[in-house]
Amino acid sequence: MSVVNATLVTGADGYIGRRLVSALLETTSEPLILAVRADGPAELAAKRQACGWADSRVTVRAVDLSTPDPFAGIDPAGIGRIVHAAAKTSFTVDRDTAQAVNVDGTIRVRDFAATCPDLTRFVALSTLYAVGATTGTVLERPGDGASFVNHYEWSKWAAEQQLLAPGAPPVVIARLPTVIADDDSGTVTQYNAFHNTLKLYFYGLMSLLPGDAATVLSLATAEFVVDAVRSLLKPEVPAGIYHVSPDAADCTTLGAAVDPIYAAFSADPGFRKRRVLEPVLVGRDSFADLVEAATVIRGGPIADALGSITPFAEQLYLPKVFDNTGLRARWPGYRAPDPIELIESVGHYLAGTRWGRSPLTERRLDVPAR
C-alpha cells in the first residue's frame, strides 16, 4: 500500500486515539492510516464501523505491536507523521505485559519511524507519571527512573528511554495527565481509578479516601489533551518532552476537590437518603489498613474497586507540580477548564447516570443554578 504524506496513528481505536482521529479528519486534508489490534478482517471491519471511520481518506490496518514486523505492508515512504497512542494504560498491568506492549511495542514503532524517509513529525503519548515517585516541581525532562508506584509508570519511563536513545529519530513525547471527562460538560465515556474511587464513596462503601490534602491534581479533559497533541504535531515544534498538563494555577489540590465532589453528589436524592458524610482524607497507614481489611473479606464491590485504586493511591501522597513551559510556548490556544467546575460537573454526571448505566435525563438531580 502506498500513500502520500499520510499520518499513521497507532492505537487509533483507543479513547484518545479516536478523538484525535476525529480532530484530524476535521482539520486536515491528508490521508490517515489507522493502526488497530484485530484478529482477522471481520474484527477489523467491525472496528472501523464502530469508530465511524467512513471517510475515504482513512485506511484501517491490523497492527499487532507484539509481533516482530507489525508494519509489514505499510510503505514507510508514504508516512509524513506518526502518532504513537497504543499502550496498556491500566495501573494494574503486570510487568511482563507492560514490557511487551508499552516498551517493546514502542521500540517497534520507533524502529519503523526510522525507516520513513519523508517523516516530519513523530509524537509519542506518555504519561505525567513516567517520572514515578518524584516530588516537587517536575520539569519537561527525562525522569531518573529511581522509583515507581506501579508497573505502568515504569513501562512508560522505559519507553521514553527507548525513544530518546542515541540514533533514534527525533520525537515529541507528550506526557498526558489524568483524563476525567470527555470535555468541559463533565461527560464521561471512559472510567478510570478516579471515577472508581468516587463510585465507592457515592454508594457509601468507602468514606476514607487516600491522599495528602496538599497533593496537586493534574486533571484534564480529552478535548484538552487532543487540542494539545494537535499543536505538538506541527512540524516547527522542537523534539523533546512536553507536559500536557494544565498550569499550576489551573489545577486544584486533593483537599480542595473534596467539597465540589460532595456538593455534586448531594444534589442526588439517593445519595442524600444514604446520609453519607463528607469524605475524609487519610494517611498511608490508615489506607493500608482499609485495603488489608478488604482483602480479608475477599471479593465484593469494595475489594474489586480498591483493586483499581491501590496501584495509584501512593501517588496521592507524593505532591508534585508539572511545569508546562514548553507546552505553553508551542500552544498559543492553550485553555484549561476551571478544575473545581470540572470536578463538580463530572460528579453530577456520574451520579446522574450511575456511572454510565442510564441516560442522564432519567435521573433527577437537584442541581443549583450557577
Side-chain angles (χ1 to χ4, degrees), residues 208-210 280-293 317:
L208 305 179
L209 301 182
V280 176
L281 297 176
V282 297
R284 284 185 178 89
D285 292 343
S286 295
F287 184 69
D289 290 342
L290 175 63
V291 172
E292 183 178 359
Y317 299 104

Side-chain angles (χ1 to χ4, degrees), residues 54-77:
D55 195 292
S56 60
R57 290 180 291 152
V58 170
T59 300
V60 186
R61 300 299 301 268
V63 172
D64 184 350
L65 293 178
S66 68
T67 60
D69 190 11
F71 298 103
I74 298 179
D75 184 1

Side-chain angles (χ1 to χ4, degrees), residues 3-366:
V3 293
V4 178
N5 198 31
T7 298
L8 169 66
V9 181
T10 70
D13 57 333
Y15 179 63
I16 295 298
R18 292 197 314 273
R19 284 157 177 78
L20 178 61
V21 168
S22 294
L24 293 176
L25 286 172
E26 292 176 1
T27 60
T28 69
S29 58
E30 290 79 13
L32 299 177
I33 301 174
L34 308 182
V36 302
R37 282 289 305 271
D39 294 326
E43 185 178 0
L44 190 65
K47 284 197 171 185
R48 175 168 186 149
Q49 182 176 7
C51 292
W53 295 328
D55 195 292
S56 60
R57 290 180 291 152
V58 170
T59 300
V60 186
R61 300 299 301 268
V63 172
D64 184 350
L65 293 178
S66 68
T67 60
D69 190 11
F71 298 103
I74 298 179
D75 184 1
I79 307 299
R81 304 189 298 184
I82 294 175
V83 180
H84 178 37
K88 187 71 173 178
T89 60
S90 170
F91 294 135
T92 61
V93 66
D94 62 87
R95 189 179 179 93
D96 288 345
T97 301
Q99 173 74 47
V101 177
N102 295 349
V103 184
D104 297 343
T106 295
I107 291 172
R108 294 187 175 100
V109 177
R110 178 202 67 188
D111 292 348
F112 176 74
T115 69
C116 298
D118 302 317
L119 192 69
T120 61
R121 180 87 304 177
F122 178 21
V123 175
L125 306 190
S126 185
T127 172
L128 294 175
Y129 297 99
V131 300
T134 299
T135 59
T137 299
V138 181
L139 302 179
E140 293 168 302
R141 297 175 182 173
D144 59 18
S147 179
F148 300 95
V149 170
N150 51 59
H151 297 310
Y152 168 66
E153 294 178 1
W154 163 80
S155 69
K156 298 304 281 185
W157 168 83
E160 288 188 5
Q161 297 303 298
Q162 294 296 333
L163 292 169
L164 298 171
V171 64
V172 166
I173 295 175
R175 288 176 174 165
L176 307 190
T178 301
V179 176
I180 65 170
D182 298 354
D183 51 39
D184 292 4
S185 72
T187 299
V188 181
T189 55
Q190 176 161 291
Y191 299 86
N192 54 38
F194 176 88
H195 309 102
N196 292 338
T197 303
L198 296 186
K199 187 175 185 179
L200 281 179
Y201 169 62
F202 179 82
Y203 286 107
L205 299 174
M206 189 174 78
S207 59
L208 305 179
L209 301 182
D212 184 327
T215 297
V216 175
L217 301 177
S218 294
L219 307 175
T221 65
E223 182 179 49
F224 175 91
V225 167
V226 168
D227 285 349
V229 172
R230 285 176 52 217
S231 294
L232 296 177
L233 271 169
K234 296 175 182 178
E236 65 269 20
V237 174
I241 295 172
Y242 295 85
H243 286 160
V244 180
S245 172
D247 290 340
D250 294 326
C251 293
T252 188
T253 63
L254 181 57
V258 170
D259 284 346
I261 290 169
Y262 185 71
F265 286 174
S266 294
D268 181 86
F271 181 81
R272 294 199 303 270
K273 186 176 180 179
R274 285 189 290 275
R275 299 181 184 276
V276 180
L277 299 178
E278 190 160 323
V280 176
L281 297 176
V282 297
R284 284 185 178 89
D285 292 343
S286 295
F287 184 69
D289 290 342
L290 175 63
V291 172
E292 183 178 359
T295 57
V296 171
I297 296 173
R298 295 181 181 276
I302 298 179
D304 292 344
L306 282 175
S308 70
I309 299 167
T310 305
F312 182 73
E314 179 62 19
Q315 281 290 0
L316 299 177
Y317 299 104
L318 300 170
K320 54 178 67 69
V321 175
F322 295 96
D323 175 77
N324 67 353
T325 302
L327 176 76
R328 288 297 304 273
R330 303 299 172 179
W331 185 13
Y334 167 90
R335 186 193 69 81
D338 180 277
I340 298 300
E341 290 185 5
L342 178 61
I343 290 170
E344 192 165 352
S345 294
V346 169
H348 286 306
Y349 182 86
L350 295 176
T353 65
R354 295 301 190 263
W355 276 252
R357 292 198 304 272
S358 64
L360 186 62
T361 54
E362 290 186 5
R363 297 286 182 183
R364 184 174 68 83
L365 291 177
D366 302 326

